[in-house]
Amino acid sequence: FETDCNWFEFNAPIYFGENSYLKTQYGYTWLPNGLIMQWGHHSPGSNPGEGEAIVLFPLTFPNTCLNATATRATVSPSGDNSDGGLSIYAFSNINLQIHYSTYYGGASESLRGCFWMAIGY
């Protein structure tokens, strides 16, 4: 079945152009309504302690990033290993800026970065 609006096979996104998605750990999908969802993992390295990090999006949002979220990754769900957090203090159409916090000195050794997601158009 062919049309002049470039439809793809079943179970593939319907989009009017190439590179409408990237299905990897650091990926994105461009929805038919124009919204773009992006996701990934940030790893600050071993024993990073507290500090800021800038995460570059896999794809620059053509207009703006509407919302972003991040979840801290750790080696254990309880005890000193889980004692810490992160906050998003800024985002733009090209990146996400986060701050890692630890509330207990030993927690920095268990910090394994974060998983993040952003949506925009």
Side-chain angles (χ1 to χ4, degrees):
F1 176 161
E2 294 201 10
T3 68
D4 49 324
C5 63
N6 211 10
W7 292 83
F8 290 88
E9 293 179 350
F10 185 72
N11 289 334
I14 299 172
Y15 173 66
F16 305 102
E18 293 186 33
N19 301 321
S20 61
Y21 59 88
L22 179 61
K23 296 190 292 186
T24 63
Q25 183 177 3
Y26 305 92
Y28 60 87
T29 186
W30 198 314
L31 302 174
N33 64 4
L35 288 175
I36 302 167
M37 294 176 62
Q38 301 194 60
W39 58 86
H41 176 262
H42 175 261
S43 180
S46 62
N47 303 332
E50 294 192 3
E52 283 84 28
I54 296 176
V55 177
L56 294 176
F57 295 138
L59 177 72
T60 298
F61 288 107
N63 296 293
T64 189
C65 178
L66 298 169
N67 198 328
T69 186
T71 304
R72 182 176 179 254
T74 185
V75 296
S76 172
S78 63
D80 295 338
N81 288 332
S82 64
D83 195 7
L86 62 87
S87 58
I88 297 172
Y89 64 90
F91 56 83
S92 69
N93 65 331
I94 61 170
N95 66 31
L96 169 68
Q97 298 175 37
I98 56 177
H99 182 271
Y100 290 102
S101 299
T102 57
Y103 309 128
Y104 171 76
S108 66
E109 294 178 12
S110 66
L111 183 61
R112 295 297 184 262
C114 70
F115 294 94
W116 59 267
M117 180 171 264
I119 188 166
Y121 68 98

